[in-house]
Amino acid sequence: MIKNAEIHFNHLGTPIADNFNDVYFSNDDGQAESDYVFYQQNNMPHRLQNHDRPHFVIGETGFGTGLNFLNTWLQFKNYLTSRQHHNLEVHNSVQQNVQRLHFISFEKYPIKADDLKKALQVWPTLALQSKQLLAKYPINLAGCHRLEFENGQVVLDLYFGDVLDSLAGISYPQTGIIDAWYLDGFAPSKNPEMWQPALFNAMADISRTNATLATFTVAGVVRRGLSDAGFSVQKAKGHGSKNEMLIGHLPHANKAHSAPAYFTHQQSSLKNVAVIGGGIASSAVLYSLAKRGCNSQLFCQDPQLAMGASHNVQGAIYPHLQAKNSPHSELFAHSFLYAKRLYQQLIDNGFNYDHQWCGVLQHAIKQPLAERHQNIENKQLWPNELMHNVTPAQGDEIAGVSTGYSGVYFELGGWVNPPQLVNALYQQAHALTPIQSHFNCDIDKLEKTPQGWLLQSQGQQFGPFSDVIICAGEHSDRFEQTKSLPIVGVRGQVSHVQASAASTKLKTVLCHKGYFTPAYLDHHCMGATFEKNTKSRAVTEQDNTTNREQLLNFYGQTEFASSLGAITAAKAAVRCSFIDHLPMAGEWAQQSDYIHAFANLRSGKRYQYKPLQKPLQGLHILTGFGARGLCSAPLCAEQLVAVLNDEPHPLSERVSQAIHPARFIVRDLIRNKI
């Protein structure tokens, strides 16, 4: 469990860490020192105008109050404004102007939000940035929190947890990801646990060739540790009254990488991308592409968006968490928080959809579920803001109706109108980078050519495209190239039942075996059924009966359930999932290619692999979200596009492997089943 920093403020308003007895920033104009030591000494003004990628990545070893990030953000914004003012053009194909700033920072003891607000009040020049950071400042959940600002031009990956543990879990390619290091933190004499060889070696592992570093300290242990890790370091003039500081660079990247060869990802040009689908996954990936200025076209078989699994009137959003910190739990915890931030950003930007962040109450309708809830509580893995147990009395007070059940409450959850949300996300993406959309366009064939990918629909041809991303839910296996996709389709029907005077008192989403929403447009959503091995979307009266009987089976003794009116409408769809209940996000994995390249896995050898040929390079999969696409699709889409764009990944290496398209092939090779 992540613990907050215990701090106090001195007479100058400077925050001091009680555990380390050290200041978070200098009493003598901390912003000026931050700018000089980290921004200027990493030569940022020049490097932003002369870089080999459109994004620049900074790594920081202690987030603290966020002063270094906020100052860098301000300077980057000034750089963008200056560039626009002077209408600078790119003439060199290798060196270019940076368009996106990516800041990765680590913090073991996050400052409480109220303390952070007080600490940042001393920097009026950073007031605008500080306000936005405070609005998105994450809860105490270990792992990577991806926070986005300036419509995605500024990205902060804020890792909560020990810096060494966090670095060990990061997913990165062999070429590294970090362009510059802000080696900050409390002084080596105050915090020796951080300033150690393991940190410096980990820094070198994820750094790119010629990555720079700057730090306020010249302690011998730091100089020697950085040199031993491969950095070339030297002393430079310190800020103000401080005589010296350290600067350095990494002459050669270590060529380390976080994943075995069979779980690596390959970047792509993303020059012109075709997205096939029409639900939350396609809108999410269009948004991730649009933030980066990537041109895309949407192909949807329906006359409008969200007519498949995303078509319900009310969809519940909450994370599916286990009593262990598994890749499954990590994915859903962080994807839920990312989705919440994204959906709030849509509202802030003027793109509206009906919703209610009223919380989600998962009732312990049977004793085994009550025991499971208690087991999760005993493990103390998850922050209370994410989930906490409630007694029957507490649960009934939250719900506004009497049920008599204990349960788990997800106070940050709630419900949204999925079709409106999908459209809002699509409109936001279109506003950033215009999207050419083709509705009533049923793509029936994909073809890889030397010029790129071609798409065909009833004899009409589209393309060529550098990349194709398939987000077609249960239809993702319809193409010749993807027919081996092991989709598990589960049909579900949701019934719309008339509200009563008693049921309108319900104030939160109830989850039992299914779910029941607060009243919306004088109706509740009630369901859903589970029917395997069918792709039918036909609405049946029997399923309406099943939904009502299921609700009454658990709540028949309550007034809100027994007083409900007639079922006036219903919707049916097929949930697309995989046998491990995790989605799939990444480049298509061709089984024959993997069998050839990684044949040694069948005999237990983890070496002497052959290179993948990638005959279908440029084909990608983003599907399998089951009933949890509203929660998990946005972050998985961001992961997919970040990987293809050679950017830092928002998901850890273990989660990246858990949703990798090759995971079932690798599993069967290791088991010698193929």
Side-chain angles (χ1 to χ4, degrees), residues 32-33 35-38 40-42 214-218 234-247:
E33 181 175 56
D35 188 71
Y36 175 82
V37 171
F38 299 112
Q40 301 297 334
Q41 295 302 313
N42 271 296
T215 181
F216 62 88
T217 182
V218 292
Q234 64 187 81
K235 293 180 180 179
K237 183 183 182 304
H239 178 263
S241 60
K242 298 179 181 178
N243 293 328
E244 297 175 317
M245 58 171 285
L246 278 185
I247 59 174

Side-chain angles (χ1 to χ4, degrees), residues 268-274 453 465-469 618-620 644:
S268 180
S269 62
L270 293 180
K271 290 179 180 178
N272 187 19
V273 184
W453 284 91
F465 297 95
S466 66
D467 298 84
V468 177
I469 302 176
L619 182 64
H620 315 285
L644 296 178

